[in-house]
Amino acid sequence: MWQYIIRRLLQAIPTLLGVSIIIFFVFALTPGDYVDTNIQLTPEKAHELKVLYGLDKPIIERYFIWLGNVMKGDFGFSLQFQKPVTSLLNDYIWNSFLIAIVSLILTWTIAILIGVYSALKKYSWFDVLVTLGVFAAMSFPSFFLGLLLIKFFAVDLKWLPVGGMTYGGSNSTGMAYVLEVLKHMILPVSVLTMLSVGSLTRYFRANMLDVIRQDFVRTARAKGLKERVVIFKHALRNASLPAITLLGFELPGLFAGAIITEKIFAWPGVGHIHMQALDNRDYTVLMGFTMFLAILTVLGNLLADIFYSVADPRIRLK
Amino acid sequence: MALETTRSVSNDPAASRVKPAKSPSLWKHSWRRLRKNKLAMFGLVFIIFMFIFCFIGPLFSPYTNGNTDILNMKKAPSASHWLGTDLVGRDVLTRLMQAGQISLTIGIVSMILTVIIGGGLGVISGYYRGFVDLVIMRLADILMSIPSLPLLIIMGAIMTEWKVPPEYRIYIVMIMLSILGWPSLARLVRGQILSLREREFMQAAESLGLRDYRKMFYHLLPNTLPMLIVVCTLTVGGAILSESALSYLGVGVGPTTPSWGKMIDLANNLMDFQKRPWLWIPPGLAVFLTVISINLLGDGLRDALDPQGNR
């Protein structure tokens, strides 16, 4: 087991190095940084800033300096927000995490329930409806779905706030604050859930269809077990085994901050910061953030593999 | 995917030389299966409709010149302008068709590029194995580890910084989408080639002394065609979705090129968003309906070309 984990860890190193090279050079090739585009700076001041942040050094040298810092956990300094990128991320990432984790829990609960039920009632009208819904969920452009929900629930019906995390100028505390945030969360969480629930439902349905045809399910029925026990204890457990892998892939998504959804709902998460940094050409933030996400993705893949090798020991031999 | 058995019978080059009539029967069978799938047929019909709507529809519109009309700005839908007019008085319905041409073209061209890069590298990787395979698959791993939306956004920003002429941005968007799309396709193709190359028909090809190029692209690649067709279909939908998101964020096609995403971009203006839904709801629905049709068709094709599948 440990041998497998170590082997996978070693494989992740060249991938991460390659990722860092691509990310760094894509950003380094971009002309016009925060210093260049800030017209309020005098040439002397601009040069001073460039020296201060090491922007005058040759590009290869800058790459290694940057890589060394990243390995120490230092993703650079944001000129726009005037603080280190790590502390900037730390300020906003938990807002992103909040809507991501709630929608993750919702997505998995809904997907398992609907997936299992529509597999049991294969080709019923419910199943057809679910199939259509799944395709609709997979085909909606996220921003258009968000805009429609805002237009309908916030602008026309005025049931829910248009965006943000709290009402402007609100200083409620305690329960009132929690309720206020909850109310603002409903729409973004719905969008995130609707976007991801489709493919997962399909996945559970397909797995469940595979499993309920197998011999051990027939044996369990033949033993005279209750149908509920057969389905939820024997079949569902086996059907969710491959899904454990997917849980690993969710890791980056939890912290990535949905860029588009957060932009539309003006939710103060990292995705929102990402768009602001883009508008101000604050590339340190974008670079640090992209690298951070790539590290999480590689970690997530690694976790998925490890989960899977725990669930299915045969995989380790490959 | 358990596609190999049916395919190797019909596409086996040795067999097809003896009985040329054998090859089309796979496609006929698949087409028969596809026709039974109502959802997939709906998808196919709608896609055809969308193409006719976008490419032939403008011929019947009196507003194709795209001239601004100051007297008819921001008009709600009416008999003369079925979907109303936009901020400078252009007919929204006509613009929807013209934008559709752009969006559909981007979807198809970036699919073709993705297949050329992904299919080519996948075959090479699976056929030669060893070091070449290692390099290509590592590159695929790396590209798949970088979150695609932030990368696309920054590439879009670079285009703006480099002052890429707006009319060329559309080509760069296509290239960007295929650069990010090829790795997953290459992996799928490679996986199939790895098992196909051990088949008997490849031994036959080997004993005939065929060149590597012929073996790879005339004997191995055609055998992955059923899978390629499915992936191609779904890739077009994905590309249309990505393009609309990029254009909505303002880093996609140039300001003068209409595309569906670019039209929805108008919703960023609060007044247009709240008071003039005819500006942004039709293009949004167009994207949604096109992509859902493509997905339904792709799924139906998967079932039709892969009868052993359990769905």
Side-chain angles (χ1 to χ4, degrees):
Chain A
M1 184 69 216
W2 277 109
Q3 209 190 349
Y4 175 77
I5 295 180
I6 290 169
R7 203 169 63 215
R8 285 293 287 105
L9 265 175
L10 288 178
Q11 278 173 0
I13 293 173
T15 311
L16 275 177
L17 272 178
V19 166
S20 73
I21 291 175
I22 292 186
I23 292 181
F24 181 84
F25 284 98
V26 164
F27 280 92
L29 285 175
T30 318
D33 49 27
Y34 184 77
V35 179
D36 284 341
T37 47
N38 196 334
I39 42 170
Q40 291 166 351
L41 295 172
T42 57
E44 299 84 54
K45 184 77 182 147
H47 183 71
E48 205 176 297
L49 275 175
K50 286 211 162 188
V51 174
L52 182 63
Y53 296 110
L55 289 171
D56 56 338
K57 295 202 179 74
I59 190 160
I60 304 287
E61 197 184 331
R62 273 169 57 198
Y63 169 69
F64 283 105
I65 295 174
W66 177 74
L67 188 68
N69 287 339
V70 166
M71 281 202 259
K72 280 183 279 178
D74 173 9
F75 286 92
F77 189 86
S78 161
L79 294 168
Q80 179 198 359
F81 296 94
Q82 286 300 320
K83 55 165 100 172
V85 174
T86 16
S87 80
L88 183 72
L89 283 179
N90 194 32
D91 288 350
Y92 289 94
I93 214 161
W94 301 109
N95 292 340
S96 294
F97 182 74
L98 180 66
I99 47 173
I101 188 85
V102 174
S103 96
L104 181 74
I105 295 170
L106 274 177
T107 307
W108 280 71
T109 320
I110 297 173
I112 291 179
L113 288 178
I114 298 184
V116 168
Y117 193 73
S118 64
L120 296 180
K121 309 268 175 204
K122 197 181 174 192
Y123 302 136
S124 65
W125 63 267
F126 178 79
D127 187 34
V128 174
L129 221 69
V130 167
T131 310
L132 268 179
V134 161
F135 277 102
M138 291 198 301
S139 317
F140 247 113
S142 55
F143 57 97
F144 183 60
L145 182 62
L147 289 171
L148 279 182
L149 288 183
I150 296 180
K151 170 85 178 133
F152 192 65
F153 289 106
V155 175
D156 292 349
L157 293 173
K158 296 201 175 27
W159 285 355
L160 293 165
V162 179
M165 198 168 167
T166 52
Y167 293 108
S170 147
N171 48 5
S172 52
T173 48
M175 248 347 249
Y177 176 76
V178 173
L179 278 179
E180 200 175 322
V181 173
L182 273 179
K183 215 173 166 187
H184 283 82
M185 268 171 67
I186 297 176
L187 286 183
V189 167
S190 323
V191 169
L192 290 180
T193 309
M194 280 161 90
L195 288 177
S196 51
V197 80
S199 45
L200 198 64
T201 305
R202 230 167 115 70
Y203 190 77
F204 269 106
R205 180 180 175 274
N207 276 352
M208 202 63 191
L209 282 179
D210 258 356
V211 170
I212 52 178
R213 281 189 315 197
Q214 281 176 21
D215 289 344
F216 71 90
V217 173
R218 197 186 309 144
T219 312
R221 284 203 178 112
K223 272 200 307 197
L225 290 181
K226 286 197 197 85
E227 187 63 15
R228 190 168 44 88
V229 179
V230 175
I231 296 303
F232 284 99
K233 206 166 162 201
H234 294 242
L236 183 60
R237 264 196 202 177
N238 281 281
S240 27
L241 204 67
I244 303 175
T245 326
L246 295 182
L247 214 50
F249 295 128
E250 301 272 11
L251 179 77
L254 281 177
F255 299 93
I259 293 176
I260 294 177
T261 312
E262 284 178 10
K263 177 188 152 76
I264 286 172
F265 292 100
W267 183 264
V270 277
H272 198 58
I273 292 303
H274 192 272
M275 289 312 288
Q276 274 188 28
L278 181 72
D279 290 340
N280 291 303
R281 303 279 179 267
D282 193 349
Y283 291 128
T284 332
V285 176
L286 296 180
M287 200 155 95
F289 183 54
T290 314
M291 190 63 210
F292 173 70
L293 284 186
I295 294 175
L296 280 184
T297 311
V298 172
L299 263 182
N301 290 350
L302 196 69
L303 265 183
D305 280 356
I306 293 174
F307 283 159
Y308 204 81
S309 75
V310 172
D312 186 354
R314 283 170 302 182
I315 211 85
R316 271 179 247 162
L317 298 171
K318 283 216 290 193
Chain B
M1 281 194 200
L3 294 163
E4 289 88 1
T5 35
T6 39
R7 246 183 296 110
S8 64
V9 174
S10 52
N11 279 342
D12 187 329
S16 63
R17 204 159 300 147
V18 182
K19 273 190 280 178
K22 184 108 188 177
S23 180
S25 78
L26 167 79
W27 304 111
K28 242 181 216 162
H29 267 298
S30 307
W31 169 240
R32 208 169 293 151
R33 271 194 296 269
L34 185 67
R35 257 194 342 219
K36 281 195 203 128
N37 186 336
K38 289 196 195 82
L39 288 178
M41 286 319 283
F42 164 78
L44 182 63
V45 170
F46 189 82
I47 294 167
I48 294 171
F49 163 76
M50 212 60 194
F51 270 93
I52 295 174
F53 173 75
C54 293
F55 287 93
I56 303 178
L59 300 180
F60 299 96
S61 160
Y63 307 108
T64 36
N65 50 20
N67 282 354
T68 52
D69 181 355
I70 309 164
L71 295 175
N72 280 313
M73 287 190 310
K74 307 174 189 172
K75 284 274 159 58
S78 62
S80 54
H81 295 279
W82 291 0
L83 289 175
T85 58
D86 68 2
L87 307 177
V88 288
R90 288 173 300 200
D91 181 55
V92 173
L93 183 65
T94 312
R95 200 143 168 85
L96 191 68
M97 296 169 185
Q98 290 164 338
Q101 293 177 8
I102 302 280
S103 289
L104 290 173
T105 313
I106 289 182
I108 288 174
V109 174
S110 59
M111 177 272 283
I112 294 172
L113 285 177
T114 308
V115 169
I116 292 174
I117 307 176
L121 287 179
V123 172
I124 292 171
S125 194
Y127 181 77
Y128 287 111
R129 299 185 289 190
F131 182 71
V132 182
D133 181 31
L134 188 79
V135 171
I136 294 176
M137 284 301 118
R138 247 312 108 73
L139 193 62
D141 274 350
I142 291 170
L143 279 175
M144 283 168 96
S145 302
I146 303 177
S148 52
L149 193 59
L151 196 64
L152 282 173
I153 289 177
I154 193 64
M155 292 208 253
I158 293 177
M159 282 200 292
T160 314
E161 292 289 350
W162 277 352
K163 311 267 185 300
V164 173
E167 61 270 28
Y168 287 115
R169 284 182 70 115
I170 170 173
Y171 303 111
I172 299 184
V173 169
M174 294 169 184
I175 295 171
M176 273 165 29
L177 291 177
S178 48
I179 287 177
L180 292 182
W182 73 262
S184 53
L185 178 67
R187 268 195 185 173
L188 283 174
V189 172
R190 169 184 174 265
Q192 291 216 329
I193 299 290
L194 279 181
S195 82
L196 283 172
R197 74 192 297 285
E198 306 300 333
R199 290 290 186 71
E200 279 172 9
F201 75 88
M202 282 313 290
Q203 283 176 14
E206 191 86 34
S207 61
L208 286 171
L210 296 182
R211 266 172 292 149
D212 284 356
Y213 173 81
R214 272 197 85 80
K215 276 191 281 190
M216 282 193 285
F217 293 99
Y218 288 80
H219 294 258
L220 284 172
L221 199 59
N223 277 295
T224 62
L225 217 62
M227 178 207 74
L228 274 183
I229 291 174
V230 174
V231 177
C232 286
T233 323
L234 299 176
T235 309
V236 176
I240 292 176
L241 268 186
S242 305
E243 181 277 325
S244 72
L246 284 181
S247 297
Y248 171 74
L249 292 174
V251 287
V253 295
T256 48
T257 321
S259 85
W260 285 332
K262 200 79 215 159
M263 288 178 80
I264 311 174
D265 185 27
L266 287 174
N268 278 328
N269 179 320
L270 199 64
M271 281 306 285
D272 292 332
F273 171 64
Q274 294 191 350
K275 301 272 189 275
R276 290 183 272 276
W278 67 85
L279 291 179
W280 57 272
I281 289 185
L285 281 182
V287 175
F288 171 62
L289 290 174
T290 310
V291 176
I292 198 175
S293 304
I294 292 174
N295 284 342
L296 286 172
L297 177 66
D299 194 61
L301 281 172
R302 193 198 320 266
D303 287 351
L305 294 164
D306 176 17
Q308 289 113 321
N310 49 43
R311 268 202 11 92

